[in-house]
Amino acid sequence: MSIDKDTARKVAHLARIRVEDDALPALADEFNRILGFIEQLNEVNVDGIEPMTSVTPQRLKRREDVVTEGDQADKILSNAPDAREGFFAVPKVVE
């Protein structure tokens, strides 16, 4: 796949990025280099390899699931700019 100047212009428009006409060939070339790298990655055989979230094996620290320092609603709501009937009050955003 090859990105031309017109496609680079369209991508920039969709991304809401202002790109001058004289910079479009460089942007198209950069897109082509990125796509070339992705094609190289697609050639790697990953059969039998489990997905991972980190390059080092990690286990999350676990703790007992107990309630601590609960029943402080009044203290917590004292920080709210607007609290009503024991809840945070927020402006309506959906009609």
Side-chain angles (χ1 to χ4, degrees), residues 1 8 11-12 14 18-20 24 29 32 38 43 46 55 60-63 67 69 71 73 80-82 84 87:
M1 175 179 214
V11 171
L14 291 172
R18 185 180 325 142
V19 179
E20 301 298 327
L24 285 172
D29 184 51
N32 285 320
I38 292 171
E43 294 173 4
V46 292
V55 294
L60 296 176
K61 294 180 182 178
R62 299 185 184 256
R63 61 176 171 78
V67 176
E69 299 181 31
D71 199 26
D82 189 8
R84 298 179 197 160
F87 297 96

Side-chain angles (χ1 to χ4, degrees), residues 58-94:
Q58 297 177 351
R59 280 194 59 106
L60 296 176
K61 294 180 182 178
R62 299 185 184 256
R63 61 176 171 78
E64 290 184 33
D65 190 15
V66 295
V67 176
T68 58
E69 299 181 31
D71 199 26
Q72 297 184 20
D74 293 334
K75 186 176 177 182
I76 293 169
L77 289 173
S78 69
N79 293 318
D82 189 8
R84 298 179 197 160
E85 300 175 15
F87 297 96
F88 290 98
V90 296
K92 185 176 180 179
V93 294
V94 177

Side-chain angles (χ1 to χ4, degrees), residues 10-11 13 21 24 27 30 37 54 62 88 95:
K10 184 176 180 180
V11 171
H13 174 73
D21 284 342
L24 285 172
L27 182 62
E30 188 171 348
F37 181 69
S54 175
R62 299 185 184 256
F88 290 98
E95 293 294 324

